[in-house]
């Protein structure tokens, strides 16, 4: 069996060796509490200062704007609930139909919050997964407490025009949050130039460990903490810091800055080779998502007339890891909400496979996937009652 | 990832009897592309009504493919009258079981078999009738009722796992609950009534409570430098005293209600109320 061919980096990433090395001392000898008065804890506190600088540097932010959290989901919850509390008289939130559950389900839960009759506008997307900015502008109102729009979609990699959208919200005096969990490290971000009030990121999507995240809060943005407790994070997020993971996340951000050009050269090239190869060698395969307004690492392809779980399990025989928007893999009975929002027909939605690459992938791996996929797809189609009858409708 | 048995994986990777029988005389087609799974079962039945050949085509996940493969293996060589009796549970058992969320794949197998038999006999498929309850997956009330009875389903979630009904927009969930109540309500008279809450004498109660305190609760409290003493049991009222660090602790009420009472309710009697001695 070959080594694992990991093309599921939008699900989670490998901890980079340098990140692990940076973290290890904080699991052993450097176990002090960064809040302690003694020098022993103090040195850990200094490591957090450095990590905060590394994160701020990658985002084009100031260190006081960085709050460490436990994950992307916590950052999303904190941002949205904070804006809700800061605007007790507003009862409307604007978001999209393709958000990650961390935003989508939170927005839905707001509808049911007792005492608040929240309205949620979920903007639709077109066949390529893009938003209509006119529709967005019309959705903004005096009653809107916050806009929450993801920077890049986890399933398709489609990038939304965050700079423009944030500016439009600012004009109306509305707070703007972006879930940038998939974007950070893959595309350049400079928050100093943007009217973004809140930005969420998650460590495990950029080669730091799971269970650590960041919420960026622009200076001057009204803020109410979600985790209330000690004075950590200047009272904005209680709880003794996850020191090792924060140090790891700092290192990962430093690496991401250094690797940014690789993402957009090497990774993009590999992705393009994979994508073009698959589309060319496999009939009835369709790219999901906008061709160019897209992350350099992601490619989502539907193989018509077959089902995603079956494809993934065959790929698994070759140790190839990817994921699917099919019903069967999600545990629900319907294809993913992103595929449905894009209006991907049922013939294709159940057979959608997402490949998401990282700087650790190689050309040999792409070649192996290109070699194995056509037979997997053909084999399953051979078995599908719809394949032979496809033209009869 | 789903936990599939080795048998499911084996039948998925090496499905038996894939393909078409050109002169099949019993064909059953169920499911659709939009549903996410579909099965076309083709049988060749000889003049003695023995199934001499079986093949299938399936669109769907691993368990749908494995269930189809299993079904063809099970029916080959059987008289039609025997094959007809195969239930979805038997298909699942043949594979060493299916995850419960995937039971609908075995149901699809049984439905295809029924459709094939009906096709052979030239009669309409029985469960295609009835009133559609779940519009997303086109499931009728008769199908739901049958699944509840045959597979002894006890919750709406079970119904979704077995029939897919309710797994889409969720609009029909209330209706499913009604059907479930109808079916199980009428079944109740046939079921031996459950014993009511166990009656215990006070002495038995005290003994059981002491057991749980000693085995579970004290060790946990002692970890935090506390302790607990049983003062009295009066009906369902359990009077205790917290000792050591727990005594003056501001969280003691929470400990009592959230931890001690919950544990005792779970392990002794679910009507117990724990109070601190004054
Ligand atoms: C777009 C997006 N938002 C939020 C999250 C949640 O991040 P976390 O797993 O750190 O809570 C994810 C990860 O799956 C994601 O892809």
């Amino acid at each position: 069996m070959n080594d694992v061919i990991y093309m599921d980096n939008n699900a989670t990433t490998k901890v980079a060796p340098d990140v692990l090395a940076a973290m290890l001392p904080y699991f052993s000898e450097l176990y002090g509490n960064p809040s302690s008065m003694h020098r022993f804890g103090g040195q850990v506190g200094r490591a957090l200062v450095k990590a905060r600088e590394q994160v701020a540097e990658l985002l084009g932010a100031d260190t006081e704007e960085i709050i460490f959290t436990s994950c992307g989901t916590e950052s999303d919850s904190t941002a949205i609930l904070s804006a809700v509390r800061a605007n007790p008289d507003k009862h409307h939130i604007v978001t999209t139909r393709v958000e990650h559950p961390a935003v989508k389900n939170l927005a839905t839960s707001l509808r049911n919050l007792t005492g608040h009759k929240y309205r949620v506008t979920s903007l639709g997307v077109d066949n390529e997964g893009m938003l209509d900015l006119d529709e967005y502008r019309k959705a903004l109102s005096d009653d809107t407490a916050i806009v929450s729009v993801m920077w890049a979609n986890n399933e398709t990699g489609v990038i939304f025009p965050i700079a423009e959208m944030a500016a439009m919200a600012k004009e109306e005096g509305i707070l703007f949050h972006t879930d940038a969990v998939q974007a950070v490290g893959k595309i350049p971000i400079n928050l100093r130039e943007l009217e973004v009030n809140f930005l969420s990121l998650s460590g495990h999507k950029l080669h730091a460990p799971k269970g650590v995240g960041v919420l960026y809060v622009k200076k001057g943005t009204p803020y109410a903490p979600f985790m209330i407790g000690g004075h950590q994070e200047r009272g904005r997020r209680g709880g003794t810091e996850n020191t090792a993971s924060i140090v790891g996340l700092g290192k990962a951000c430093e690496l991401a800055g250094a690797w940014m050009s690789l993402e957009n050269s090497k990774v993009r090239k590999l992705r393009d080779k994979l994508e073009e190869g698959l589309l060319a060698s496999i009939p009835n395969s369709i790219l999901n998502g906008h061709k160019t307004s897209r992350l350099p690492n992601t490619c989502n392809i539907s193989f018509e007339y077959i089902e995603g779980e079956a494809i993934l399990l065959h790929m698994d025989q070759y140790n190839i890891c990817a994921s699917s928007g099919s019903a069967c893999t999600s545990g629900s009975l319907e294809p993913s909400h992103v595929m449905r929002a894009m209006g991907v027909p049922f013939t294709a939605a159940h057979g959608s496979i997402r490949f998401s690459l990282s700087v650790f992938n190689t050309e040999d791996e792409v070649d192996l996937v290109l070699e194995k996929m056509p037979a997997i797809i053909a084999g399953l189609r051979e078995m599908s009652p719809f394949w032979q009858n496809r033209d009869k409708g | 990832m789903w936990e599939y048995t080795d048998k499911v994986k084996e039948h998925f990777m090496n499905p038996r009897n894939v393909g078409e029988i050109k002169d099949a005389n019993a064909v059953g087609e169920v499911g659709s592309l939009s549903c996410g799974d579909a099965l076309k079962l083709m049988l060749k039945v000889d003049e003695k009504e023995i199934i001499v050949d079986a093949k299938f085509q399936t669109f769907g996940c691993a368990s749908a493919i494995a269930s189809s493969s299993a079904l063809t293996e099970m029916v080959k060589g059987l008289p039609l009258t025997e094959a007809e009796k195969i239930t979805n549970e038997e298909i699942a058992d043949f594979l060493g079981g299916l995850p419960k969320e995937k039971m609908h794949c075995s149901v699809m197998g049984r439905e295809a078999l029924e459709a094939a038999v009906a096709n052979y006999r030239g009669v309409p498929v029985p469960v295609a009738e009835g009133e559609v309850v779940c519009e997303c997956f086109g499931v009728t009330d008769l199908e739901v009722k049958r699944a509840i009875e045959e597979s002894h389903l006890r919750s709406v979630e079970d119904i979704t796992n077995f029939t897919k009904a309710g797994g889409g927009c969720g609009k029909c969930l209330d209706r499913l609950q009604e059907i479930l109540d109808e079916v199980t309500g009428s079944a109740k008279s046939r079921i031996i009534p459950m014993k009511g809450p166990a009656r215990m004498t006070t002495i038995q109660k005290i003994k059981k409570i002491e057991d749980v305190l000693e085995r579970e609760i004290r060790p946990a409290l002692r970890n935090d430098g506390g302790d607990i003493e049983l003062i009295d049991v009066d009906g369902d009222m359990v009077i205790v005293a917290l000792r050591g660090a727990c005594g003056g602790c501001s969280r003691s009420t929470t400990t009592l209600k959230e931890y001690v009472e919950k544990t005792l309710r779970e392990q002794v009697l679910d009507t117990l109320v724990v109070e601190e001695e004054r």
Side-chain angles (χ1 to χ4, degrees), chain A residues 215-281:
Chain A
L215 176 64
Y216 156 92
V217 183
K218 195 183 239 353
K219 263 183 228 133
T221 301
Y223 180 84
F226 177 59
M227 299 269 283
I228 296 171
H231 56 273
Q232 295 90 352
E233 303 299 297
R234 300 196 292 136
R236 295 179 299 175
R237 199 277 187 183
T240 300
E241 299 85 343
N242 182 357
T243 50
S245 292
I246 291 173
V247 168
L249 178 55
K251 186 71 194 173
C253 285
E254 183 193 313
L255 291 175
W259 289 344
M260 190 69 72
S261 60
L262 275 184
E263 279 285 344
N264 290 282
S265 54
K266 176 194 157 173
V267 177
R268 182 186 294 276
K269 262 220 218 68
L270 290 179
R271 192 274 313 264
D272 287 349
K273 177 171 183 184
L274 178 70
E275 182 169 307
E276 283 157 22
L278 290 173
L279 292 174
S281 65

Side-chain angles (χ1 to χ4, degrees), chain A residues 305-307 309-311 313-314 316-317 328-334 346-347 350 380 382-386 388-389, chain B residues 1-2 4 12-13 15 18 20 32-34 36 38 57-62 65 102 104 137 160 164 167-168:
Chain A
Y305 305 106
I306 49 176
E307 195 279 327
E309 183 202 278
I311 304 173
L313 291 181
H314 273 282
D316 194 48
Q317 295 299 306
C328 293
T329 52
S330 63
S332 89
L333 291 170
E334 294 200 315
F346 279 119
T347 47
H350 287 290
L380 286 168
E382 202 54 44
M383 223 183 287
S384 165
F386 301 115
Q388 275 143 20
N389 294 326
Chain B
M1 195 162 188
W2 301 109
Y4 287 130
F12 165 64
M13 289 310 294
V18 176
E20 285 186 286
S32 74
L33 263 174
S34 59
Q57 290 181 322
T58 291
F59 160 76
C61 57
I65 290 169
K102 295 285 189 176
H104 59 85
F137 293 106
T160 306
K164 297 180 115 183

Side-chain angles (χ1 to χ4, degrees), chain A residues 10-11 70-74 76 99-100 102-103 150 152-154 179-182 201-205 211-213:
Chain A
N10 288 11
S70 69
C71 58
T73 303
E74 185 194 325
D76 287 341
E99 295 300 314
H100 186 273
V103 169
M150 68 200 321
N153 186 272
N154 43 308
D179 176 340
V181 166
Q182 294 293 346
L201 72 84
S202 176
H204 71 105
K205 310 285 182 175
V212 63

